Amino acid sequence: MAVSGVLSQRTHVRRKAPRTFLRRLFRRQKPRLRLETGGDLLVHLNCLLFVHRLAEESRMNAFENKDGVIKKEHVLAAAKVILKKSRG
Amino acid sequence: MADTYNSDSEPTTRTLLRRVLDTADTRTPRRRRSARIGVQKARLEMPLSSPTKMNVSRRSQRARSIDRLARVQTSGHLDEQTPRTLLKNILLTAPESSIMMPEPVVKPVPTPQVVQSSRRKSSQGSLELQLPELEPPTTLALGLLAPGRRKQRLRLSAFQQGVDQGLPLSQEPHGNANASSLTSSLNLTFATPLQPQSVQRPGLARRPPTRRAVDVGAFLQDLRDTSLVSPGDSLRTPVATLPTDTVLEDTQPFSQPLVGRSPSVYHSLPCLSHTEAEDAERAVSHRTQSSGPKLQNYNPGKQAQLLARKAKNVDAIAMSFPNKSSAISGEDGVDLLQDGIDEEAEERMEENLSVSEVMDTTGTQGSVRTENSKGYREMTEAVETNEPKGSSEDEDISDRRASPELASNTTQSPQARRPQFLEPAPPSSTAVLSSEPLSTRLPPRARAPGSRPRQDPHKTGLSHYVKFFSFCAKMPMEKKAVEMVEKCLDRYFQHLCDDLEAFAAHAGRKTVRPEDLELLMRRQGLVNDQVSLRVLVERHLPLEYRQLLIPCAFSGNSVFPAQ
């Protein structure tokens, strides 16, 4: 099989996904459930997108308050919106 | 078949030789080697040209054999070993196949005179034969007839001489090599020429790179050295000496600190899971008790010891936020926080209720969840949120408490809430508090060192996403905002796990598959008909992960990953 086990020993993955961390989280939360091999990468993708949206939203909040620094309340308000969006 | 040999249409060596033999004059050699040949001389002298064709036809019909040679000799081609006769001999006996084959057959016919005469002939042949191409065939044929050992020795030495000196033609084996390349009738072609090249140019020979061996050796030595230096850190040294970019699986940024603490972490986990089922019923009452002291002490030591194992969760979380809570309590931000979190608490409660009705397991898990989420609440509102949470577990008791407080939560303004929080909280808690003055203080000390490792790896794992957040935000952030992001991430993970569980259960599976993930992203609005999952994968994930997720066709009619 060609390129199987794609990740050879020497590859430098620039943006690594904390796969073990994610799997452990999932196991802690749902000990009964199993997660597939490609699944945790998709979970990582989901997290990235969530964080991305959260950051955008909090940035917008900070801009609206004409703040040069992101403060807790910006993040909080953004979290409310984005968490509701990502409920699925 | 015989005719083709006789015809001179193809300029093979045989035909050329034949021509030469026919045209050239006969000469009488001065020496006589064997009596047998001498006897044959007279007979052979006369029919020189005529029987050639006959002999050729005869030869072509039968396989090469010694008898054949003898008959040929007796039939009368040898005339005192003239070059002509010898050549004829060779021609008749030598087969048209490879040189190597007839050697064993020809060996038992030692004709030293042939060899010696061949040497002479080679010198003479060059004079006689006008065509330069014919020289190799002579040497070739002679090589066939010569005795094996001597010929081989000659060959080797001659070969080496020829190779060293670079002589083109003179030596037999070299000539053989050339002949082999020249004669199309011979099968052996490229065996010998390869050797001379490598011998001639040793610099071109490739040596296997010895880099790897040295590296491993040096690596092992380094290992030993480091292990000698720090025998106690046997676990750490391999991690330390590992190059940072080797194994992708080692994504834990906190692999080293885990070495000493992992056992304690794992101990706490099974304890939790065991007691979850047992303490489900006691959860509510304990929670209220625990929440009471929480209010008063602002300490980690607020947890009830009855809830000891179960409350470990809360402990760990609550402990980490003591400073925060005390600092925040004075801020206005708390109101917003309470406001926001209370709304979510209601939502969570509703969710909990609905979810617990649907599924059995969430009963125990919901308690964990609520514990987790509870830990993130501020101290002041912990009471109110706990009691509504408790309703999911034991609805009879807590509903009564929950409903008035729920009503109070929803109706009151954020500002007015805080004093109201404090008012109902102390009266309910004082009754409970008195019962457990001591128990609250002891357990946290025992748990303090144990709960730290549980949170640290969690935080360090989350830090990856927090860093990503700060990168995406492109603006400076306060530390509190960072902590807020961590909380949001935790809650998000809980949501995620719940949803995935729901989807997998809906499909009747116990394993979460990528299809569940895709459905989740579709519901979140990330994946549309315009934007597919693969597009997102390509945008945001590095190549190594992309290759794992998106099936791609490779050579050999294989697709990876297999579908």
Side-chain angles (χ1 to χ4, degrees), chain B residues 71 165 183 208 222 399 402 553:
Chain B
R71 214 175 294 147
Q165 298 161 18
T183 53
D222 288 338
D399 263 345

Side-chain angles (χ1 to χ4, degrees), chain A residues 6 9 30 34 59 76 87, chain B residues 246 473 499 501 512 547:
Chain A
V6 165
Q9 283 178 7
K30 306 279 169 195
R34 286 190 224 168
R59 227 174 117 226
L76 191 61
R87 257 223 257 136
Chain B
T246 44
D499 293 338
E501 188 182 5
V512 175
Q547 280 177 332

